[in-house]
mmCIF file of all heavy atoms in Angstrom:
data_model
loop_
_atom_site.group_PDB
_atom_site.id
_atom_site.type_symbol
_atom_site.label_atom_id
_atom_site.label_comp_id
_atom_site.label_asym_id
_atom_site.label_seq_id
_atom_site.Cartn_x
_atom_site.Cartn_y
_atom_site.Cartn_z
ATOM 1 N N SER A 608 -12.339 11.853 68.608
ATOM 2 C CA SER A 608 -12.695 10.534 69.295
ATOM 3 C C SER A 608 -11.933 9.316 68.600
ATOM 4 O O SER A 608 -12.434 8.208 68.750
ATOM 5 C CB SER A 608 -14.152 10.367 69.421
ATOM 6 O OG SER A 608 -14.725 11.226 70.292
ATOM 7 N N ASP A 609 -10.957 9.543 67.756
ATOM 8 C CA ASP A 609 -10.346 8.491 67.058
ATOM 9 C C ASP A 609 -9.448 7.707 68.038
ATOM 10 O O ASP A 609 -8.518 8.287 68.680
ATOM 11 C CB ASP A 609 -9.405 9.037 66.010
ATOM 12 C CG ASP A 609 -8.825 8.055 65.054
ATOM 13 O OD1 ASP A 609 -8.533 6.955 65.437
ATOM 14 O OD2 ASP A 609 -8.862 8.205 63.736
ATOM 15 N N GLY A 610 -9.760 6.414 68.350
ATOM 16 C CA GLY A 610 -9.064 5.698 69.207
ATOM 17 C C GLY A 610 -7.713 5.012 68.703
ATOM 18 O O GLY A 610 -7.048 4.379 69.398
ATOM 19 N N ILE A 611 -7.526 5.256 67.410
ATOM 20 C CA ILE A 611 -6.340 4.669 66.824
ATOM 21 C C ILE A 611 -5.291 5.727 66.533
ATOM 22 O O ILE A 611 -4.079 5.556 66.753
ATOM 23 C CB ILE A 611 -6.714 3.947 65.546
ATOM 24 C CG1 ILE A 611 -7.620 2.860 65.811
ATOM 25 C CG2 ILE A 611 -5.485 3.501 64.715
ATOM 26 C CD1 ILE A 611 -8.109 2.052 64.596
ATOM 27 N N ALA A 612 -5.728 6.916 65.919
ATOM 28 C CA ALA A 612 -4.831 8.043 65.615
ATOM 29 C C ALA A 612 -5.190 9.170 66.472
ATOM 30 O O ALA A 612 -6.231 9.759 66.361
ATOM 31 C CB ALA A 612 -4.957 8.356 64.113
ATOM 32 N N ASN A 613 -4.336 9.542 67.495
ATOM 33 C CA ASN A 613 -4.646 10.643 68.305
ATOM 34 C C ASN A 613 -4.508 11.976 67.657
ATOM 35 O O ASN A 613 -3.564 12.329 67.110
ATOM 36 C CB ASN A 613 -3.796 10.584 69.575
ATOM 37 C CG ASN A 613 -4.112 11.653 70.576
ATOM 38 O OD1 ASN A 613 -3.796 12.823 70.465
ATOM 39 N ND2 ASN A 613 -4.775 11.164 71.674
ATOM 40 N N TRP A 614 -5.661 12.807 67.851
ATOM 41 C CA TRP A 614 -5.651 14.040 67.027
ATOM 42 C C TRP A 614 -4.559 15.056 67.561
ATOM 43 O O TRP A 614 -3.930 15.810 66.775
ATOM 44 C CB TRP A 614 -6.939 14.767 67.085
ATOM 45 C CG TRP A 614 -7.298 15.330 68.563
ATOM 46 C CD1 TRP A 614 -7.934 14.706 69.499
ATOM 47 C CD2 TRP A 614 -7.047 16.618 68.960
ATOM 48 N NE1 TRP A 614 -8.125 15.537 70.577
ATOM 49 C CE2 TRP A 614 -7.540 16.731 70.330
ATOM 50 C CE3 TRP A 614 -6.448 17.752 68.418
ATOM 51 C CZ2 TRP A 614 -7.492 17.855 71.045
ATOM 52 C CZ3 TRP A 614 -6.388 19.019 69.173
ATOM 53 C CH2 TRP A 614 -6.943 18.941 70.432
ATOM 54 N N ARG A 615 -4.140 14.954 68.765
ATOM 55 C CA ARG A 615 -3.074 15.874 69.328
ATOM 56 C C ARG A 615 -1.714 15.383 68.843
ATOM 57 O O ARG A 615 -0.929 16.290 68.538
ATOM 58 C CB ARG A 615 -3.129 15.670 70.914
ATOM 59 C CG ARG A 615 -4.316 16.193 71.581
ATOM 60 C CD ARG A 615 -4.175 16.184 73.081
ATOM 61 N NE ARG A 615 -5.358 16.749 73.794
ATOM 62 C CZ ARG A 615 -6.514 15.999 74.036
ATOM 63 N NH1 ARG A 615 -6.613 14.667 73.517
ATOM 64 N NH2 ARG A 615 -7.567 16.634 74.677
ATOM 65 N N THR A 616 -1.510 14.168 68.589
ATOM 66 C CA THR A 616 -0.286 13.705 68.041
ATOM 67 C C THR A 616 -0.154 14.317 66.575
ATOM 68 O O THR A 616 0.877 14.686 66.142
ATOM 69 C CB THR A 616 -0.151 12.128 68.018
ATOM 70 O OG1 THR A 616 -0.225 11.683 69.288
ATOM 71 C CG2 THR A 616 1.157 11.715 67.289
ATOM 72 N N MET A 617 -1.214 14.145 65.793
ATOM 73 C CA MET A 617 -1.215 14.629 64.480
ATOM 74 C C MET A 617 -0.990 16.111 64.388
ATOM 75 O O MET A 617 -0.213 16.593 63.614
ATOM 76 C CB MET A 617 -2.552 14.264 63.817
ATOM 77 C CG MET A 617 -2.640 12.739 63.580
ATOM 78 S SD MET A 617 -4.232 12.290 62.687
ATOM 79 C CE MET A 617 -3.936 13.036 61.141
ATOM 80 N N LYS A 618 -1.657 16.790 65.165
ATOM 81 C CA LYS A 618 -1.486 18.355 65.298
ATOM 82 C C LYS A 618 -0.182 18.715 65.613
ATOM 83 O O LYS A 618 0.405 19.692 65.027
ATOM 84 C CB LYS A 618 -2.550 18.962 66.230
ATOM 85 C CG LYS A 618 -2.673 20.470 66.178
ATOM 86 C CD LYS A 618 -3.610 21.054 67.142
ATOM 87 C CE LYS A 618 -3.658 22.558 66.988
ATOM 88 N NZ LYS A 618 -2.438 23.211 67.307
ATOM 89 N N ALA A 619 0.455 18.099 66.667
ATOM 90 C CA ALA A 619 1.758 18.446 67.084
ATOM 91 C C ALA A 619 2.790 18.206 65.901
ATOM 92 O O ALA A 619 3.680 19.049 65.694
ATOM 93 C CB ALA A 619 2.140 17.581 68.294
ATOM 94 N N ARG A 620 2.599 17.146 65.130
ATOM 95 C CA ARG A 620 3.425 16.923 64.023
ATOM 96 C C ARG A 620 3.362 18.042 62.985
ATOM 97 O O ARG A 620 4.337 18.492 62.552
ATOM 98 C CB ARG A 620 3.080 15.559 63.432
ATOM 99 C CG ARG A 620 3.989 15.184 62.176
ATOM 100 C CD ARG A 620 3.769 13.765 61.627
ATOM 101 N NE ARG A 620 4.610 13.380 60.605
ATOM 102 C CZ ARG A 620 4.260 13.539 59.311
ATOM 103 N NH1 ARG A 620 3.042 14.011 58.856
ATOM 104 N NH2 ARG A 620 5.216 13.274 58.446
ATOM 105 N N LEU A 621 2.138 18.376 62.604
ATOM 106 C CA LEU A 621 1.993 19.495 61.647
ATOM 107 C C LEU A 621 2.511 20.807 62.120
ATOM 108 O O LEU A 621 3.047 21.613 61.359
ATOM 109 C CB LEU A 621 0.546 19.470 61.105
ATOM 110 C CG LEU A 621 0.242 18.740 59.826
ATOM 111 C CD1 LEU A 621 0.453 17.133 60.059
ATOM 112 C CD2 LEU A 621 -1.199 18.958 59.281
ATOM 113 N N ASP A 622 2.255 20.994 63.490
ATOM 114 C CA ASP A 622 2.856 22.271 63.972
ATOM 115 C C ASP A 622 4.387 22.293 63.879
ATOM 116 O O ASP A 622 4.915 23.283 63.556
ATOM 117 C CB ASP A 622 2.427 22.288 65.485
ATOM 118 C CG ASP A 622 0.955 22.690 65.716
ATOM 119 O OD1 ASP A 622 0.247 23.118 64.770
ATOM 120 O OD2 ASP A 622 0.522 22.460 66.793
ATOM 121 N N ALA A 623 4.962 21.202 64.117
ATOM 122 C CA ALA A 623 6.476 21.042 64.062
ATOM 123 C C ALA A 623 6.980 21.339 62.626
ATOM 124 O O ALA A 623 7.903 22.057 62.302
ATOM 125 C CB ALA A 623 7.031 19.823 64.457
ATOM 126 N N MET A 624 6.174 20.791 61.634
ATOM 127 C CA MET A 624 6.528 21.028 60.195
ATOM 128 C C MET A 624 6.279 22.450 59.767
ATOM 129 O O MET A 624 7.072 23.038 59.012
ATOM 130 C CB MET A 624 5.642 20.012 59.333
ATOM 131 C CG MET A 624 5.959 18.576 59.459
ATOM 132 S SD MET A 624 4.626 17.455 58.866
ATOM 133 C CE MET A 624 4.534 18.084 57.170
#
Side-chain angles (χ1 to χ4, degrees):
S608 295
D609 194 319
I611 297 175
N613 186 281
W614 70 272
R615 293 181 179 85
T616 300
M617 293 181 64
K618 184 178 186 301
R620 178 173 185 264
L621 264 66
D622 287 345
M624 291 165 58

